[in-house]
Each structure stands twice: as C-alpha cells, then as structure tokens.
C-alpha cells in the first residue's frame, strides 16, 4: 500500500461519491460503527506515528552475478556477509513458482495488509487449547520482516513482526514483497533465496525449473537443516510428493503436470557456482561492486572454447616450465570483448593463477613493429619495397641485434616486418622519430607508455616498454578497421561508441594487413607447415628479451585474437617464443571460433596506388636500374626521389685512382658506376668478406676538403663509463665506420696521435683513469670526437 495506490483508489470511486456519502451518514448514526471506526482510526494513527519513530530500513546485500551477452551466468560472488543470496528478476518468477509458494505459505497473500487477522485468531485459539505453539499465523510479509531482522520467536517479537509487516505493505507492492521473500528464504548453509538454490542445486535459473524441482525448493525453507539437498533427498522426495498430492486435491495445477512431477526423480546435489571468465568477472566485480547483476559482452560459447583449448594447451607448456597464458578475443565490428582468459587455472596458487594476464604489464617484444612500419608509410619515410640496411649499427650507443644474430645486408620493409628483423625496425623508428611512435600509442590508450614516455628510447621498437594484452588487442583491432582505434566495449548495456581515433591511414593499414597475412615467413609454426587448415588471418608474433613473454596476435575482418604465454614471475624458458608456442595456440583458437566461415577480407583503399620501383632501393628507378618491381605507395606522401643505389665516379683510365670535381680538371678520366653504400654497409661487407666494387683511392694531390660525413666512432661508445677491476688496466677497441672513398683513418688520444690503419682494422689502446678524448680523422680530412670516462 502507498500514496499512489490511494490516489488510484480515489479516482475509481469518484463516480460513486454521492452514494458513498449517503451510506456514510447512515452508518455514522450507529454508535457501534462510530466506536469501530474510531478504534480503526486510532490504530492507523498510531501506525503512522510509530512508522516515523521506527522507520523501516530495508537494505539487502545481494550476491553479484556477472552475465554473458545472452543472459547466462558467467560468474557469481558471495555477498559481504558470505552468503549466496542472488536477486530474482521479474521474468524469472514463473506462475508455477508463485502458485507453489503462495498456496503453501500464504493463500490470502493478495487479500491482507501484511497480517491475516483470521490466521492470528486461529493460531491463538489452537495454541491456547494445546498449551504450546503448534500453529503459526505468519504471512509471507511477516516472514519477510523476520528474515530482514531475525530474532527469537516470542510473542513480543511476533507483535514487532506484525508492525514491520504493515510497514512493508505500506512501502512496497505485493510483487515486490513476494520477490523479497523469494530472495531471502533459507536453504541451509549459506544459501538464501530461490535463485541461489535453483542455481546451486539444479544448475538452472528459476524460470527453467520443473514443477517437481519447484516443489522441492518450496518445502525446504521451513526445515532447511533436516531437508538438506544432497543429504536427505529421500525425505525431500517424500515431502514433495505429499504436497503435490495435496495440490492435486485443491486443483492448484493441472493433473498431467502433477502426475509428471510425482514420478520425476530427485538427484540434486550441492554444486559450485558458475565460474566462467574468473579474471574478467573479478575485474567487473571490482569496478561495479554495487550492482546486483552486470550484463557483459562475453559470448559464453566462445569463452568455453577458449578456456577448454587453453586448459589443454597448458598441459603441453607446463612440461617446458611455462605455467601461464592469457587470451583476449574481440569482435572487430563493434570492438566488443567476446572472450577473456586471464590465466587457464584461476585456482593455481603455486603459479599465481589469480593474476590477470590480460591486464598485467609485459614486454611486447616485436609485436609493436606493425604500428611502427605503418607510421613510416603514413609519414612518407618508407613503402613496403623500400630498402633499408640490416647490418651492425651503433645508434648513439644502442647496438641492437637480430633474434638469430645474423644480418641480411640490404632488405626491404616488407621482409623486415615479415621476418621481424630488429635492426631495420630501430632504423625506421629513428627515421620517423620517437614522438610520432609514442603519440600514436598514447592515442591507442597505452597507459604504461604514457607513464614512461620520458624514459623510452629506440629500444621501444623491440619491446623496450610495458604493455598489456588488452592494449595490444585493441591496437590490432584497429588494423582490421582501417586504422581506426576505438576503446574496447565489455558491458552489454553501454551504448556503442563512435568516437574513433585514426592512428593509421586506411592505406597504411591495408599495407600492414597485406604483409602480415603472408604465410611464407619464419614465424610460421613448424608443425603447421603440412597442416591443411591454416586460418586466413593476418598475424604478428613477439618474444621479449630473455624469452620471458611470447606473443601472437591475429585478426581478420570478424575477430581479433590476442595470445600471451609466459610465467607471471617473469622466469624465462628456452622454448618460449611467439612462433613456437603462442602462434599454434592462436591458430587453434581461430579454428575453433571460425573454422571454414566466410570471411570478408580487407579491400584496397582507392587512394592507394602502385608504381614501379628499383629492387635495390625501393625508389623510382633511374636510368641505371635494371631490376624493377611493383610497390604500393601514397601519392604525394611516399618517398619520390629517384634511385641512387649507384653513383658515377671520375676514375683514371686504369681505374686505380678517383677524382672529385675539384681535382679532375686536366686529368685523363672515365666515368664509372660504383655502389653508393653507407658507412655501415661498407664495414659490414668488409667484415663479412663480401665482394663489391670499391671506389679507388682519391687523388693524393687533391687539396680540397672533401664534403661528406666524417668517420663515425662506434667503439668505444661516446659518453660511456668503463670500470677497472682490481686495478687492472682496461683495454678498449678503437673502431669506426667511414664512407667508401676512405682508405685510411688516423686515431688520436687526448689530441696526441696514436695509430693509423684501414677502416675496420682492429686497434686497441689502454686508457688512463679519468676522462679521455678520442678523435678519428680520415684521409679526406674529416674528423669526429668522443669522450669516455674510466673509473
């Protein structure tokens, strides 16, 4: 009962107001009526006063339920008082369930105001004559009052229950009171409420219960200890059938329904609550602690497949000393999280199974290279066939190596990415600039990148940073959406976001997708070479330094699957690589969720064109270029200068001496094409014994200062500090890189000549403690300096 009900009631009787007034006047003339009315009015007045003095406070702490996209239960959590108390929803309260409870507990529930006077009178008479409590008068509303505030059963407390029942009827509707009752009825142990009981005893939600199961749950609340499911099933069955027969006599249900219920066996046992996606559900519970039910975007069939596959795969990796993995699956059309595995075994305390591998921070290894090369396409530094050098290089003290510690000389961007080479990646990062890379990762919500922005260096290209699987999956999903980044959606009721951020152009994304979808590549798992079904996806692997993290992230038009494998204690393993362990798991998951499904592959953007380029440089060919190939390019953005992989040099007719424009005049000469090699490439060829056409020594009589780059000192490292041990002297290698014209270099220590030698020749010296200046001059008169400190 409430004010709204009173207003509705007054509206209904308005047409009869005159007749009611006449009737009232006649009744008022009767003294007995006046006494009864005044008594009734006094009672209600007292109720209102007491209601103000002792207000009803209904606060029920429910067990939170995390739901999948289809409404099925993923996981559930105990209430704060350690109870399984799940809130029933209106659609779960079936007519059969309502009939069963009302006919057993309170047939006149919809006709009284919380207290049934006739039942109270009957109970009082019976108890007086029998001199003991054999009959109760509690309505469902009174039971709710008692369940909300349990007390010892005394006559005084019974009066308090009646008062609270009136308050409940005043504050709530009948349906709300019935729901409260069904949410609080006890089922023994820490189980309260019909929904908790139906899930934990029958593995069903209330609307899925049969009549036999409903009746079993109807009779238990009166005797939860002596009628415990799993312990007293025979006793429950006997009591259940007794009530079914009584309902048959009273025509509560159809005979066919009751006959079917009578023969239904009772094999129920106490079950564990659903526990799918435990890491995801725990995270949801932490960020939405006060919601009784949270509906998410998880697809239960996908989640079950991922958990099953990873559980089986864990048995293989554990034999290798690798105990943890994490998987995130996204729907690329709307960026919804459809499967989330933080670790295969949540209960594995020995290996930190409760750590969430999706949200924890790890080194990505080479998995950031696709965004790096995509940015280089967009800023006009490279194209897929653009050639860079893969040779030992000193990047201001940083000297990266490839995974296999081999070098490939000149190699194009497409192969650099497909083969996941390190030195070209660092070279390209230096070309585009750190700010460009960091800015794009910040746009994609990389939180640790944002925190460590000022600490990051060129090692970022190779995984020298912290990222999460959540962030990496979101990044790769943008490749599948023409470079548009969108925050991931994980709550079903959230509105679909459209505030995309363009982190790559559609053309750059297409070129990255084209490269990453190639099957012939080193990171193809060896056991998949003869496999008849490699999923049609684009993917990239990553392995962190020390083999602590193995990544493989793949995507097609429909889904992105991100896989991480490793140990949460950061212990490495020799077999822990993206290609050998993470990619097979990636393929298994893709085949499980989309085996032989029709996939719409990525279409080439209209503004992405093709042109002919020189194989040697990846640039538009010059007249001396003989080998050409087709390459994608962005008009007005991609490098447009002509190929210069060869250069014309003035040489003497016998090709033993070269000349510059200053000294060639008056001398016999011919023009000849020579490779236009960088200092690093020359050093690499010389060190590896690779034959190439060397430019002859320059005319020694030439007095002009040669333009070009001074020698680059690569050892020792500039600004480096070297430590001596037990007073032993440190012996350091002097080494440099120089242009192809340079034949001889001269070394100076603290401005004093030390030694001369050929470029690449190994020369050693022993510096004294303190600061030391090292200089290197070439035979063209160019000089460079560095300083080191010996302690």
């Amino acid at each position: 009962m409430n004010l709204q009900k009173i207003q509705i009631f007054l509206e209904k009787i308005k047409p009869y107001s005159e007749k009611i007034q006449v009737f009232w006047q006649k009744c008022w003339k009767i003294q007995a009526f006046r006494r009864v009315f005044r008594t009734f009015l006094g009672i209600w007045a007292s109720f209102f006063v007491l209601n103000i003095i002792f207000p009803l406070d209904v606060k029920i702490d429910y067990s939170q339920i995390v739901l999948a996209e289809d409404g099925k239960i993923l996981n559930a959590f105990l209430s704060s008082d350690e109870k399984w108390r799940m809130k029933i929803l209106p659609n779960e309260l079936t007519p059969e369930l309502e009939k069963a409870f009302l006919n057993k507990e309170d047939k006149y529930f919809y006709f009284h105001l919380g207290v049934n006077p006739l039942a109270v009178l009957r109970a009082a008479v019976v108890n007086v004559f029998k001199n003991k409590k054999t009959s109760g008068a509690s309505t469902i509303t009174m039971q709710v009052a008692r369940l909300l505030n349990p007390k010892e059963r005394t006559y005084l407390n019974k009066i308090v229950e009646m008062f609270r029942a009136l308050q409940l009827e005043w504050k709530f509707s009948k349906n709300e009171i019935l729901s409260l009752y069904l949410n609080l009825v006890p089922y023994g142990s820490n189980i309260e409420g019909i929904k908790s009981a139906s899930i934990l005893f029958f593995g069903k939600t209330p609307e899925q219960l049969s009549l036999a199961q409903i009746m079993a749950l109807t009779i238990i609340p009166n005797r939860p200890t002596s009628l415990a499911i799993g312990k007293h099933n025979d006793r429950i069955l006997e009591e259940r059938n007794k009530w079914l027969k009584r309902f048959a006599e009273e025509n509560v249900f159809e005979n066919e329904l009751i006959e079917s219920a009578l023969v239904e066996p009772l094999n129920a046992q106490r079950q564990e609550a659903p526990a799918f996606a435990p890491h995801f559900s725990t995270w949801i519970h932490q960020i939405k602690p006060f919601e009784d039910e949270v509906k998410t975007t998880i697809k239960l069939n996908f989640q079950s497949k991922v958990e099953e596959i990873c559980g089986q795969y864990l048995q293989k990796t554990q034999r290798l000393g690798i105990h943890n993995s994490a998987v995130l699956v996204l729907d690329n059309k709307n960026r919804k999280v459809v499967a989330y595995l933080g670790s295969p075994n949540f209960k594995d305390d020995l290996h930190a199974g409760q750590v969430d591998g999706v949200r924890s921070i790890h080194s990505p290894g080479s998995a950031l290279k696709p965004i790096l090369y995509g940015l280089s396409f967009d800023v006009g530094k490279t194209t897929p066939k653009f050639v860079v050098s893969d040779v030992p290089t000193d990047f201001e003290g940083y000297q990266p190596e490839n995974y296999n510690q081999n070098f490939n000389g000149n190699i194009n961007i497409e192969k650099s990415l497909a083969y996941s080479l390190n030195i070209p990646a660092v070279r390209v990062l230096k070309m585009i600039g750190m700010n460009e890379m960091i800015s794009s990762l910040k746009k994609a919500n990389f939180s640790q990148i944002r925190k460590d922005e000022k600490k990051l260096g060129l090692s970022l290209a190779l995984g020298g940073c912290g990222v999460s699987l959540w962030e990496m999956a979101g990044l790769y999903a943008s490749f599948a959406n023409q470079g548009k980044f969108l925050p991931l959606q994980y709550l079903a009721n959230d509105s679909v976001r459209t505030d995309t951020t363009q982190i790559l152009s559609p053309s750059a994304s297409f070129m990255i997708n084209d490269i990453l979808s190639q099957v012939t590549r080193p990171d193809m798992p060896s056991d998949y070479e003869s496999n008849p079904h490699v999923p049609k996806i684009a993917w990239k692997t990553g392995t962190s330094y020390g083999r602590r993290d193995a990544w493989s992230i793949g995507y097609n038009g429909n889904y992105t699957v991100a896989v991480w494998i490793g140990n949460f204690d950061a212990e490495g393993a020799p077999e822990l690589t993206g290609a050998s362990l993470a990619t097979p798991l990636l393929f298994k998951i893709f085949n499980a969720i989309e085996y032989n499904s029709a996939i719409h592959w990525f279409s080439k953007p209209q503004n992405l064109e093709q042109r002919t380029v020189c194989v040697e440089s990846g640039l538009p060919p010059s007249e001396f270029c003989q080998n050409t190939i087709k390459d994608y390019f962005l008009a007005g953005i991609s490098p447009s200068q002509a190929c210069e992989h060869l250069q014309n040099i003035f040489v003497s007719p016998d090709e033993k001496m070269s000349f510059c424009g200053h000294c060639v005049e008056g001398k016999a000469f011919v023009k000849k094409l020579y490779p236009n090699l960088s200092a690093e490439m020359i050093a690499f060829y010389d060190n590896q014994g690779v034959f190439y056409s060397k430019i002859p020594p320059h005319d020694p009589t030439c007095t002009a200062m040669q333009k070009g780059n001074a020698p680059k000192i690569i050892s020792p490292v500039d600004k480096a500090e070297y430590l001596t041990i037990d007073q032993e002297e440190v012996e350091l290698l002097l080494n440099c890189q120089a242009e192809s014209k340079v034949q001889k270099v001269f070394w100076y220590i603290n401005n004093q000549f030390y030694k001369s030698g050929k470029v690449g020749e190994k020369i050693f010296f022993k510096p004294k403690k303190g600061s030391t200046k090292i200089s290197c001059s070439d035979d063209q008169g160019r000089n460079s300096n560095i300083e080191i400190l010996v302690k």
Side-chain angles (χ1 to χ4, degrees), residues 61-87:
D61 182 22
Y62 290 106
S63 301
Q64 187 182 72
I65 298 175
V66 180
L67 302 175
E69 187 181 42
D70 59 0
K72 294 180 180 178
I73 298 176
L74 279 178
N75 215 309
F77 297 88
L78 290 167
S79 62
S80 59
D81 56 349
E82 299 295 312
K83 301 284 188 181
W84 285 116
R85 188 187 297 119
M86 304 178 192
K87 188 175 183 180

Side-chain angles (χ1 to χ4, degrees), residues 93-101 209 211 214-215 253 257:
L93 181 51
T94 61
E96 292 79 13
L97 189 60
E98 182 177 351
K99 278 184 182 181
F101 271 96
L209 294 172
L211 179 59
I214 289 172
M215 286 308 304
F253 298 106
L257 198 59

Side-chain angles (χ1 to χ4, degrees), residues 491-623:
L491 297 177
N493 296 328
D494 281 358
S495 56
V496 178
R497 298 183 63 170
T498 57
D499 52 331
T500 58
T501 302
Q502 199 78 44
I503 60 172
L504 283 184
S505 69
S507 296
S509 297
F510 176 82
M511 288 186 276
I512 291 299
N513 299 343
D514 186 57
I515 296 172
L516 295 184
S517 58
Q518 297 176 9
V519 176
T520 305
R521 48 199 271 192
D523 58 354
M524 169 65 73
S526 57
D527 57 346
Y528 267 82
E529 291 179 355
S530 58
N531 192 297
H533 197 277
V534 174
K536 175 64 174 175
I537 59 172
W539 86 95
K540 180 70 184 76
T541 61
T543 304
S544 68
Y545 178 78
R547 298 196 178 190
R548 296 182 176 93
D549 308 275
W551 302 74
S552 192
I553 309 172
Y555 57 94
N556 57 24
N558 297 331
Y559 298 102
T560 293
V561 177
V563 172
W564 172 88
I565 296 179
N567 290 308
F568 288 143
D569 62 2
E571 183 179 351
E575 297 84 1
L576 187 57
T577 68
S580 62
L581 285 184
T583 300
L585 181 56
L586 173 75
F587 287 179
K588 287 177 183 291
I589 293 171
F590 252 113
N591 284 334
I593 65 177
E594 272 214 321
Y595 190 82
N596 282 339
S597 63
I599 299 172
H600 172 70
W601 199 245
F602 309 106
S603 302
K604 183 177 77 68
Q606 292 183 350
N607 67 332
L608 182 61
E609 305 175 33
Q610 282 192 315
R611 65 183 180 185
T612 300
V613 296
C614 176
V615 171
E616 306 297 334
S617 65
L619 294 170
S622 297
E623 66 278 0

Side-chain angles (χ1 to χ4, degrees), residues 710-741:
K712 181 179 180 181
I713 301 174
I714 60 174
S715 178
V717 178
D718 189 22
K719 301 293 190 299
E721 294 184 358
Y722 296 89
L723 302 178
T724 61
I725 301 176
D726 297 331
Q727 304 301 318
E728 290 185 6
E729 291 183 326
V730 178
E731 191 172 50
L732 299 178
L733 171 67
L734 296 174
N735 199 4
C736 71
Q737 294 174 342
E739 292 184 341
S740 58
K741 298 177 183 179

Side-chain angles (χ1 to χ4, degrees), residues 650-659 667-672:
F650 300 122
V651 296
S652 60
D654 60 3
E655 300 181 9
K656 292 184 178 181
M657 187 178 298
S658 62
F659 309 104
K667 297 184 176 68
F669 70 90
V670 294
K671 281 186 178 181
K672 185 177 179 181

